[in-house]
Amino acid sequence: MTTPFTVSLTWRYLVEYARRPINLVLLGVVPLVFVTLTADTIAEFARILGGQASLGQLEAVTAGWASAFLAGVAGFFHVSGSRQADRRLAATDSSPTRVVLARLASSLALAGVAVAGSLLALALRTDIVDVGRTVTATVMFALIYLGLGTAVGALVRSEVNGSLVIVFVWMFDVFLGPAMGPSDSWITRVFPSHFPTLVMLDASTGHAGPLSDLGAAAVWTLGGLVLAFGVLVLTTGHRRTSRRAPESTWGRTRVASRFAWREYRRNVALWVLLVGLPFFFISLSIAITPDQPTPVALTERGQDTIAIVSMIDVHGAIMVPITVAFLAGLAGLFVVLGSLEADRRLVVAGYRTAEVLAARLGVILLAAVLVSAVSLGVTSFSFQPRSWVAFALATLAVALTYAMLGVLIGPIVGRLGGL
């Protein structure tokens, strides 16, 4: 009785996921773009930062990164979007374990599609030298992040916070991992994909001790799945004023802005991420980067030149726009989507669209300015641009650009598609 029920429920979960075409498109498009179109740029970036991996090895690692990202966000939204339904189903069936097994089985199927798409994109780009090693490591990438995404989806109620956690764990993993440059820092060894990356690169480091890199990667993989199962079982069970609107346009805009700010001010985790992650991401990336000169190709006034600069300066300059782009884009995406239904009710109640939009854009603008200011402040301790004014304005421009992209894309393709 248990097996037919679990199989049937697994199939229904997959059908539910496939009802949104954007979900299926992402599983095919993200690996194609990430692995096929960006491998050269990633390889150049890794070379500047002192990475010793060859282009072929880095191409293989991009397949692992793509499968990890897709499996993580798919697992998160697959669980987060159906948490209440799963609890009601578990209460009706009196067996949370069977519901959890079905949810994990459907998540594993999605991870399998992500792995297949990533490996196919890699095969289209280049010949895979070591098929067994590449396939094994890519599967490990996906399963580790599937466990992470599933656990976060079960524990974190806010889709803003949960998706930010996954994205920034992945960012730390990619930009501070062994593929991007030499580092013996113990901090980088606790990143989820550190050991699968070493397996993919066929780099023997001794970081895992007697387990070996492959053994440590297997422990991470099994641990991620066990964590996901345990958290889902624990969380899949039984659980537990009106005001007269102002008449003037300015008054309504002011009230909408105040309540928009109050709503997101209460989301402490969001502000901790917006302030804390730039600090840790930029400062840690600079801290683990060796202070060595490296050649960088530049174009100034139409002339191509080669400049010899410190690797720390490269990291200090490039990590700021990367950080503010991710954070501001996600803030724009989730501020709009998180309040979409409430904003519609406000319009029905008499608010003008421009008034509601002005309130939301005010919160997004504040988030973009805050992220830019924190990022610039952190990088100022170790990096001095030629012109602080130009660098600050460019950083703010990046933040606002990606914030508006989040605003525009979110209502069209939804949270998962926007992310």
Side-chain angles (χ1 to χ4, degrees), residues 114-134:
V115 169
S118 301
L119 292 173
L120 177 61
L122 180 62
L124 290 175
R125 177 175 176 82
T126 184
D127 293 330
I128 302 177
V129 178
D130 192 335
V131 176
R133 179 183 299 277
T134 302

PDB file of all heavy atoms in Angstrom, residues 114-134:
ATOM      1  N   ALA A 114      18.213  18.302 -14.135  1.00  0.00           N
ATOM      2  CA  ALA A 114      19.236  19.354 -14.089  1.00  0.00           C
ATOM      3  C   ALA A 114      20.610  18.791 -14.429  1.00  0.00           C
ATOM      4  O   ALA A 114      21.386  19.403 -15.174  1.00  0.00           O
ATOM      5  CB  ALA A 114      19.256  20.003 -12.703  1.00  0.00           C
ATOM      6  N   VAL A 115      20.931  17.622 -13.896  1.00  0.00           N
ATOM      7  CA  VAL A 115      22.216  16.981 -14.194  1.00  0.00           C
ATOM      8  C   VAL A 115      22.308  16.635 -15.673  1.00  0.00           C
ATOM      9  O   VAL A 115      23.331  16.899 -16.331  1.00  0.00           O
ATOM     10  CB  VAL A 115      22.394  15.716 -13.331  1.00  0.00           C
ATOM     11  CG1 VAL A 115      23.593  14.900 -13.813  1.00  0.00           C
ATOM     12  CG2 VAL A 115      22.581  16.093 -11.871  1.00  0.00           C
ATOM     13  N   ALA A 116      21.242  16.048 -16.211  1.00  0.00           N
ATOM     14  CA  ALA A 116      21.253  15.656 -17.623  1.00  0.00           C
ATOM     15  C   ALA A 116      21.424  16.874 -18.525  1.00  0.00           C
ATOM     16  O   ALA A 116      22.195  16.848 -19.494  1.00  0.00           O
ATOM     17  CB  ALA A 116      19.959  14.916 -17.963  1.00  0.00           C
ATOM     18  N   GLY A 117      20.712  17.967 -18.213  1.00  0.00           N
ATOM     19  CA  GLY A 117      20.838  19.180 -19.023  1.00  0.00           C
ATOM     20  C   GLY A 117      22.227  19.776 -18.950  1.00  0.00           C
ATOM     21  O   GLY A 117      22.781  20.230 -19.964  1.00  0.00           O
ATOM     22  N   SER A 118      22.830  19.761 -17.766  1.00  0.00           N
ATOM     23  CA  SER A 118      24.177  20.315 -17.607  1.00  0.00           C
ATOM     24  C   SER A 118      25.208  19.491 -18.361  1.00  0.00           C
ATOM     25  O   SER A 118      26.100  20.030 -19.033  1.00  0.00           O
ATOM     26  CB  SER A 118      24.535  20.387 -16.122  1.00  0.00           C
ATOM     27  OG  SER A 118      23.618  21.184 -15.405  1.00  0.00           O
ATOM     28  N   LEU A 119      25.104  18.173 -18.269  1.00  0.00           N
ATOM     29  CA  LEU A 119      26.054  17.310 -18.968  1.00  0.00           C
ATOM     30  C   LEU A 119      25.865  17.384 -20.479  1.00  0.00           C
ATOM     31  O   LEU A 119      26.848  17.338 -21.240  1.00  0.00           O
ATOM     32  CB  LEU A 119      25.898  15.869 -18.478  1.00  0.00           C
ATOM     33  CG  LEU A 119      26.333  15.606 -17.033  1.00  0.00           C
ATOM     34  CD1 LEU A 119      25.969  14.186 -16.611  1.00  0.00           C
ATOM     35  CD2 LEU A 119      27.829  15.831 -16.868  1.00  0.00           C
ATOM     36  N   LEU A 120      24.626  17.514 -20.922  1.00  0.00           N
ATOM     37  CA  LEU A 120      24.383  17.657 -22.358  1.00  0.00           C
ATOM     38  C   LEU A 120      24.986  18.952 -22.880  1.00  0.00           C
ATOM     39  O   LEU A 120      25.619  18.967 -23.953  1.00  0.00           O
ATOM     40  CB  LEU A 120      22.869  17.626 -22.630  1.00  0.00           C
ATOM     41  CG  LEU A 120      22.449  17.839 -24.097  1.00  0.00           C
ATOM     42  CD1 LEU A 120      23.038  16.742 -24.978  1.00  0.00           C
ATOM     43  CD2 LEU A 120      20.927  17.866 -24.212  1.00  0.00           C
ATOM     44  N   ALA A 121      24.809  20.044 -22.133  1.00  0.00           N
ATOM     45  CA  ALA A 121      25.403  21.318 -22.546  1.00  0.00           C
ATOM     46  C   ALA A 121      26.924  21.219 -22.587  1.00  0.00           C
ATOM     47  O   ALA A 121      27.567  21.764 -23.493  1.00  0.00           O
ATOM     48  CB  ALA A 121      24.969  22.428 -21.584  1.00  0.00           C
ATOM     49  N   LEU A 122      27.498  20.516 -21.612  1.00  0.00           N
ATOM     50  CA  LEU A 122      28.952  20.334 -21.596  1.00  0.00           C
ATOM     51  C   LEU A 122      29.409  19.514 -22.801  1.00  0.00           C
ATOM     52  O   LEU A 122      30.418  19.835 -23.446  1.00  0.00           O
ATOM     53  CB  LEU A 122      29.370  19.655 -20.296  1.00  0.00           C
ATOM     54  CG  LEU A 122      30.869  19.387 -20.115  1.00  0.00           C
ATOM     55  CD1 LEU A 122      31.654  20.689 -20.104  1.00  0.00           C
ATOM     56  CD2 LEU A 122      31.121  18.595 -18.832  1.00  0.00           C
ATOM     57  N   ALA A 123      28.663  18.457 -23.134  1.00  0.00           N
ATOM     58  CA  ALA A 123      29.026  17.619 -24.274  1.00  0.00           C
ATOM     59  C   ALA A 123      28.908  18.377 -25.587  1.00  0.00           C
ATOM     60  O   ALA A 123      29.673  18.138 -26.529  1.00  0.00           O
ATOM     61  CB  ALA A 123      28.138  16.374 -24.305  1.00  0.00           C
ATOM     62  N   LEU A 124      27.949  19.306 -25.677  1.00  0.00           N
ATOM     63  CA  LEU A 124      27.804  20.106 -26.889  1.00  0.00           C
ATOM     64  C   LEU A 124      28.973  21.067 -27.056  1.00  0.00           C
ATOM     65  O   LEU A 124      29.326  21.431 -28.185  1.00  0.00           O
ATOM     66  CB  LEU A 124      26.499  20.899 -26.841  1.00  0.00           C
ATOM     67  CG  LEU A 124      25.207  20.076 -26.963  1.00  0.00           C
ATOM     68  CD1 LEU A 124      23.989  20.972 -26.769  1.00  0.00           C
ATOM     69  CD2 LEU A 124      25.141  19.366 -28.309  1.00  0.00           C
ATOM     70  N   ARG A 125      29.563  21.480 -25.948  1.00  0.00           N
ATOM     71  CA  ARG A 125      30.644  22.452 -26.016  1.00  0.00           C
ATOM     72  C   ARG A 125      32.003  21.811 -26.251  1.00  0.00           C
ATOM     73  O   ARG A 125      32.830  22.321 -27.002  1.00  0.00           O
ATOM     74  CB  ARG A 125      30.695  23.286 -24.732  1.00  0.00           C
ATOM     75  CG  ARG A 125      31.866  24.266 -24.714  1.00  0.00           C
ATOM     76  CD  ARG A 125      31.873  25.177 -23.528  1.00  0.00           C
ATOM     77  NE  ARG A 125      33.075  25.993 -23.550  1.00  0.00           N
ATOM     78  CZ  ARG A 125      33.221  27.100 -24.258  1.00  0.00           C
ATOM     79  NH1 ARG A 125      32.220  27.521 -25.001  1.00  0.00           N
ATOM     80  NH2 ARG A 125      34.350  27.783 -24.241  1.00  0.00           N
ATOM     81  N   THR A 126      32.253  20.684 -25.605  1.00  0.00           N
ATOM     82  CA  THR A 126      33.587  20.100 -25.672  1.00  0.00           C
ATOM     83  C   THR A 126      33.510  18.603 -25.450  1.00  0.00           C
ATOM     84  O   THR A 126      32.488  18.082 -24.979  1.00  0.00           O
ATOM     85  CB  THR A 126      34.499  20.726 -24.584  1.00  0.00           C
ATOM     86  OG1 THR A 126      35.817  20.224 -24.729  1.00  0.00           O
ATOM     87  CG2 THR A 126      33.989  20.420 -23.199  1.00  0.00           C
ATOM     88  N   ASP A 127      34.578  17.914 -25.780  1.00  0.00           N
ATOM     89  CA  ASP A 127      34.667  16.486 -25.499  1.00  0.00           C
ATOM     90  C   ASP A 127      34.960  16.287 -24.017  1.00  0.00           C
ATOM     91  O   ASP A 127      35.880  16.888 -23.470  1.00  0.00           O
ATOM     92  CB  ASP A 127      35.782  15.853 -26.335  1.00  0.00           C
ATOM     93  CG  ASP A 127      35.465  15.873 -27.826  1.00  0.00           C
ATOM     94  OD1 ASP A 127      34.270  15.821 -28.155  1.00  0.00           O
ATOM     95  OD2 ASP A 127      36.407  15.943 -28.631  1.00  0.00           O
ATOM     96  N   ILE A 128      34.190  15.440 -23.377  1.00  0.00           N
ATOM     97  CA  ILE A 128      34.392  15.147 -21.960  1.00  0.00           C
ATOM     98  C   ILE A 128      35.500  14.123 -21.847  1.00  0.00           C
ATOM     99  O   ILE A 128      35.378  12.981 -22.311  1.00  0.00           O
ATOM    100  CB  ILE A 128      33.095  14.623 -21.313  1.00  0.00           C
ATOM    101  CG1 ILE A 128      31.965  15.644 -21.486  1.00  0.00           C
ATOM    102  CG2 ILE A 128      33.320  14.344 -19.835  1.00  0.00           C
ATOM    103  CD1 ILE A 128      30.627  15.175 -20.945  1.00  0.00           C
ATOM    104  N   VAL A 129      36.605  14.518 -21.239  1.00  0.00           N
ATOM    105  CA  VAL A 129      37.788  13.652 -21.178  1.00  0.00           C
ATOM    106  C   VAL A 129      37.559  12.469 -20.246  1.00  0.00           C
ATOM    107  O   VAL A 129      37.744  11.316 -20.626  1.00  0.00           O
ATOM    108  CB  VAL A 129      39.021  14.473 -20.724  1.00  0.00           C
ATOM    109  CG1 VAL A 129      40.232  13.563 -20.602  1.00  0.00           C
ATOM    110  CG2 VAL A 129      39.286  15.609 -21.699  1.00  0.00           C
ATOM    111  N   ASP A 130      37.154  12.744 -19.016  1.00  0.00           N
ATOM    112  CA  ASP A 130      36.934  11.693 -18.023  1.00  0.00           C
ATOM    113  C   ASP A 130      35.442  11.645 -17.712  1.00  0.00           C
ATOM    114  O   ASP A 130      34.944  12.361 -16.834  1.00  0.00           O
ATOM    115  CB  ASP A 130      37.752  11.985 -16.759  1.00  0.00           C
ATOM    116  CG  ASP A 130      37.798  10.797 -15.806  1.00  0.00           C
ATOM    117  OD1 ASP A 130      36.867   9.974 -15.859  1.00  0.00           O
ATOM    118  OD2 ASP A 130      38.764  10.701 -15.020  1.00  0.00           O
ATOM    119  N   VAL A 131      34.743  10.795 -18.443  1.00  0.00           N
ATOM    120  CA  VAL A 131      33.276  10.774 -18.336  1.00  0.00           C
ATOM    121  C   VAL A 131      32.836  10.357 -16.936  1.00  0.00           C
ATOM    122  O   VAL A 131      31.951  10.972 -16.332  1.00  0.00           O
ATOM    123  CB  VAL A 131      32.683   9.819 -19.390  1.00  0.00           C
ATOM    124  CG1 VAL A 131      31.171   9.725 -19.212  1.00  0.00           C
ATOM    125  CG2 VAL A 131      33.024  10.299 -20.791  1.00  0.00           C
ATOM    126  N   GLY A 132      33.445   9.303 -16.404  1.00  0.00           N
ATOM    127  CA  GLY A 132      33.032   8.812 -15.089  1.00  0.00           C
ATOM    128  C   GLY A 132      33.209   9.849 -14.006  1.00  0.00           C
ATOM    129  O   GLY A 132      32.312  10.077 -13.185  1.00  0.00           O
ATOM    130  N   ARG A 133      34.367  10.501 -13.975  1.00  0.00           N
ATOM    131  CA  ARG A 133      34.634  11.518 -12.965  1.00  0.00           C
ATOM    132  C   ARG A 133      33.678  12.695 -13.119  1.00  0.00           C
ATOM    133  O   ARG A 133      33.137  13.216 -12.134  1.00  0.00           O
ATOM    134  CB  ARG A 133      36.079  11.995 -13.087  1.00  0.00           C
ATOM    135  CG  ARG A 133      36.476  13.096 -12.089  1.00  0.00           C
ATOM    136  CD  ARG A 133      37.900  13.548 -12.332  1.00  0.00           C
ATOM    137  NE  ARG A 133      38.832  12.451 -12.166  1.00  0.00           N
ATOM    138  CZ  ARG A 133      39.314  12.052 -11.008  1.00  0.00           C
ATOM    139  NH1 ARG A 133      38.942  12.676  -9.894  1.00  0.00           N
ATOM    140  NH2 ARG A 133      40.162  11.048 -10.927  1.00  0.00           N
ATOM    141  N   THR A 134      33.455  13.141 -14.349  1.00  0.00           N
ATOM    142  CA  THR A 134      32.602  14.306 -14.589  1.00  0.00           C
ATOM    143  C   THR A 134      31.159  14.031 -14.193  1.00  0.00           C
ATOM    144  O   THR A 134      30.504  14.855 -13.541  1.00  0.00           O
ATOM    145  CB  THR A 134      32.666  14.717 -16.069  1.00  0.00           C
ATOM    146  OG1 THR A 134      34.029  14.992 -16.424  1.00  0.00           O
ATOM    147  CG2 THR A 134      31.817  15.941 -16.329  1.00  0.00           C
TER     148      THR A 134
END
